Amino acid sequence: MIKPWEQNPELEVQHLTMRFGGLTAIGDLSFNVGKKQITALIGPNGAGKTTVFNCITGFYKPTEGMIKLNHEGGKEFLLERMDDFRITRFAKVARTFQNIRLFSGMTLLENLMVAQHNSLMKSSGWTIGALLGTGGYKRAENEAIETCKYWLNKVGLIDRADDPAGDLSYGAQRRLEIARAMCTGPRLLCLDEPAAGLNPRESEELNKLLLSVRDDHNMAILLIEHDMSVVMGISDHIIVLDYGRKIADGTPVQIKADPAVIRAYLGVEDEDDDADGKAAAAVIDEAISHKPVPMETLLAAIETPTVPPKKMATKTPVKPAPKAVAKKTAAPKKGGRK
Amino acid sequence: MSAPVKSSSGGSDAQVLDSAAITKDLIGTFVITALILVPVVAIRTQLDQGVLTWHSRFTLAAVLAAIVVGVRWAMHVFVWNRRAANALKPAVAGAVKVKGPSLADKIGPYVSRGLLIFGLVLPILAYFNITPWGDKRTLDLAIYILTYIMLGWGLNVVVGLAGLLDLGYVAFYAVGAYAYALLSTVYFPIWFGSGIVPYAFYITLPLAGLLAALWGVILGFPVLRLRGDYLAIVTLAFGEMIRLVLINWFSFTQGPQGINVPKATFFGLPFKDGPGSFAEFFHITYDRIHFYIFLYYVILAMALITYFVTKRLRRLPIGRAWEALREDEIACRSLGINTTNTKLTAFAIGAMFGGFAGSFFAARQGFVSPESFVYIESALILAIVVLGGLGSQIGIVFSATAIMGSFEVFREMNWLKAVLPAGTEPIQFRMLAVGLAMVLMMRFRPRGFVTKREPTVFLKEKKAVSGDLVAEGHG
Ligand SMILES: Nc1ncnc2c1ncn2[C@@H]1O[C@H](COP(=O)(O)OP(=O)(O)O)[C@@H](O)[C@H]1O
Ligand SMILES: [Mg+2]
């Protein structure tokens, strides 16, 4: 299997470890994000996905490890050593937040103008030039407005350009946040659960938007998402985290077939539940390759007293399509592990 | 008694003022006010050497009644009307195109123009004595108010736009004042000879601003990492520190004695009687009002410069970054904005205008002492900004006039002596009244006089942003 993210990646994360006091939120995590690819970071709640984002974008300083961003032309940035705003400004990494962070008292257009702050500052002669009326600030401002218009069009919010961001619906706020991140002119876009709270139609639109960002703007996208229709539908590469460790890394097809992933999503807690895990893997295996489940495996799982009956219920259906397994099994764990 | 009218204007057609109902309500208001005022104010009894006599004060009662009715009318037109319209909005949202702008929106643009014209002609009115309270006194009050408007506009950059709570703004005012005082009395005569002194104000004015901005940066650098309450406390402490240094560094500042400084001149021509003066140069007879008119125009010009510069800054990237900072600092950093520098510029620019105003204060007063720069001054300027509302510049004009004007009005309200404890003057209750007014304001209009934020850039239509959505900042 070819793994395009192995060669010449946009972002290399190596041995990343993040500890909060005694809690190891991320443990020795290594992965690559390929150029012009959509990479999804998935895992149960509390797996450490947002923490990975915060390390990449400089909001947290990792305890150990290296995060290297490669620009074209061989320019390298060691993100773990840079301030958060410098990462956006110079390394060109933009992000959105799990809990939306818009400037809600400012209009949509203003939100996107703020995102172009650095280039506008320069063309305003660090304010002094524009105050004295010299230089082409007016022209630069008009260009910035054109950029805003382009992205507002792209996310379908152009008609609401002059409304305050706080007045938008939830889905529209998510799209505006993506547009705002794009206005910083990034190379790598990090999206933290962009489909959370969206209805199926909005998810579909989000897929189109992200594909267009990847293909028309040659961007790499790193995506945290629970919505499997988004993850499986558009990603080129999936990394699965559980308890801050990587448990799987591959293409969507590989991930769907990975027993460890299903186990994590079924909520197998630790090694004591080994039997349970084996049963889960066997069920998946059966679903994919039509191998019958050995009776003793199932019995072992049933006899483990820690297994609640509800868990068994999710495991019993025979022959679901692999995609359906992923979806169904993802559902009960949402929010359950926090 | 306000309830029935409020509900009637909130009825079927909220945007169109129901003039019949309002007229009825105003007549009712007048009758009730008159009933209260006649026994309390209009008819005054007096115990005169054992004889009870009385005299009437119907003019005063009429003025008070007119004020009450006027305020109530204004509330109908500007406040209740809009609130009713807002309450109605969700019902018609989307379906019906919202009707034309309310009266308040329509007259909005004319208010600032009207104020500007009034500001420009006020000295002329004063000169020909068409103002209440006599010419010099009116101008003095106007100069006083304008100084605070300018300070309000300066602090507005820090508090209103960038959302940083600064409780020590008066420190920068002090830096400006002492910069003028020390440079004009001590250092300029040493460096350039005493011939420079008449021109000192014009040379030190920019220096005072720069020095204050420098202090803003020096203070801001370690402090701006703090947030919210901590920032407020440190700025408060800084304000006190500057004052204590001014008191205790006797050899430099002459301590609590203060410094006598030369008053401002008309580009070197002093305002006095005799040769080489302003009056002689222009062949007019000397009158102290000239000095007041001159000072008035100086502070008006300085305030207008503050106004236009901050207004322009708000529309530039730096101003938008300030407001974004107030809305969400983390989001700002995620967009590549250096928030420390952005806060520093807000601090420095706010401090600079404070320094300008301080230097004017010294040149007007002819005397500076640490007593002028106590904490309560910072609190007053902050109150002006907060009452103005949502970083609005026009709001600050109203709140400064209301607060500073009310102090002066208290001097006049001798009739209040009837209700106040014996041996007290109404003026002593001014802070109490301001405090009460603030409490009421925070209860009924927590975001200040102006409740809408004006966007800095727009595509098709400039729509004001409702105050509920605008963040207040958190230090
Ligand atoms: N600033 C922090 N301080 C302490 N613990 C944290 C902090 N941020 C995250 N964590 C912990 O790290 C773990 C991973 O959290 P997070 O990255 O938010 O998970 P996810 O985004 O995958 O749901 C959680 O146990 C969380 O409590
Ligand atoms: Mg998360």
Side-chain angles (χ1 to χ4, degrees), chain B residues 33-362:
Chain B
T33 318
L35 284 178
I36 297 170
L37 287 180
V38 165
V40 176
V41 177
I43 298 169
R44 211 57 188 109
T45 56
Q46 233 167 358
L47 206 56
D48 208 359
Q49 286 146 13
V51 187
L52 187 72
T53 57
W54 67 278
H55 64 267
S56 61
R57 296 191 300 181
F58 281 105
T59 17
L60 181 61
V63 169
L64 287 177
I67 290 173
V68 171
V69 172
V71 167
R72 203 167 163 80
W73 173 82
M75 292 295 273
H76 274 300
V77 174
F78 300 116
V79 185
W80 293 330
N81 174 49
R82 192 192 296 170
R83 196 184 293 166
N86 282 347
L88 210 67
K89 237 183 211 155
V92 296
V96 186
K97 184 104 180 73
V98 181
K99 285 147 276 177
S102 75
L103 188 58
D105 287 343
K106 249 187 274 178
I107 63 167
Y110 300 104
V111 170
S112 47
R113 244 170 276 169
L115 283 173
L116 179 62
I117 291 170
F118 176 75
L120 286 171
V121 301
L122 182 71
I124 300 168
L125 297 181
Y127 192 72
F128 292 107
N129 238 327
I130 333 182
T131 48
W133 293 338
D135 49 4
K136 288 189 204 76
R137 185 133 175 240
T138 307
L139 277 184
D140 205 36
L141 176 62
I143 291 166
Y144 183 58
I145 291 176
L146 272 174
T147 314
Y148 279 85
I149 290 177
M150 177 168 172
L151 287 168
W153 280 338
L155 183 60
N156 188 36
V157 171
V158 185
V159 177
L161 297 183
L164 305 166
L165 187 51
D166 181 355
L167 292 179
Y169 190 60
V170 79
F172 306 120
Y173 192 45
V175 167
Y178 270 85
Y180 171 64
L182 291 172
L183 286 174
S184 66
T185 58
V186 182
Y187 295 99
F188 276 15
I190 294 174
W191 296 338
F192 309 111
S194 57
I196 196 90
V197 172
Y199 305 95
F201 176 63
Y202 301 96
I203 305 168
T204 47
L205 188 65
L207 289 180
L210 287 179
L211 275 172
L214 182 70
W215 274 104
V217 173
I218 291 173
L219 167 69
F221 213 71
V223 156
L224 289 174
R225 298 172 195 287
L226 305 174
R227 299 177 58 107
D229 312 349
Y230 301 103
L231 177 66
I233 290 167
V234 174
T235 52
L236 173 74
F238 176 71
E240 287 300 285
M241 267 161 54
I242 292 267
R243 190 173 65 86
L244 290 174
V245 166
L246 292 179
I247 290 178
N248 291 304
W249 192 357
F250 196 88
S251 58
F252 183 57
T253 66
Q254 297 185 29
Q257 283 176 16
I259 307 172
N260 280 310
V261 293
K263 289 198 174 192
T265 59
F266 185 82
F267 304 102
L269 298 170
F271 290 90
K272 60 175 190 191
D273 213 357
S277 72
F278 173 80
E280 194 215 44
F281 189 83
F282 288 97
H283 305 290
I284 44 179
T285 42
Y286 170 72
D287 187 340
R288 270 172 57 74
I289 186 92
H290 297 153
F291 183 52
Y292 286 95
I293 293 178
F294 163 75
L295 282 181
Y296 177 88
Y297 278 120
V298 170
I299 187 66
L300 183 68
M302 284 167 60
L304 285 177
I305 289 172
T306 312
Y307 175 83
F308 286 112
V309 169
T310 48
K311 191 180 155 104
R312 176 94 182 110
L313 283 175
R314 202 178 153 249
R315 282 164 170 62
L316 288 177
I318 186 73
R320 272 196 287 268
W322 289 336
E323 290 200 81
L325 201 64
R326 179 190 65 199
E327 297 281 327
D328 191 329
E329 185 173 345
I330 291 180
C332 278
R333 297 183 76 85
S334 85
L335 297 175
I337 296 175
N338 185 339
T339 49
T340 313
N341 282 358
T342 308
K343 285 179 184 178
L344 268 183
T345 53
F347 234 68
I349 286 172
M352 182 180 78
F353 289 120
F356 287 147
S359 142
F360 171 82
F361 170 81

Side-chain angles (χ1 to χ4, degrees), chain A residues 255-325:
Chain A
I255 292 298
K256 271 185 245 177
D258 194 320
V261 176
I262 315 294
R263 212 178 312 150
Y265 269 80
L266 281 173
V268 179
E269 303 287 322
D270 44 43
E271 284 82 41
D272 298 347
D273 286 345
D274 204 29
D276 194 23
K278 272 194 191 126
V283 171
I284 304 310
D285 209 28
E286 185 201 43
I288 293 165
S289 55
H290 303 282
K291 246 190 238 155
V293 182
M295 199 56 193
E296 55 270 32
T297 320
L298 271 183
L299 282 178
I302 290 163
E303 276 154 21
T304 314
T306 51
V307 181
K310 156 179 134 253
K311 277 189 183 170
M312 295 308 299
T314 43
K315 277 184 253 170
T316 31
V318 194
K319 288 190 190 176
K323 193 170 171 180
V325 171

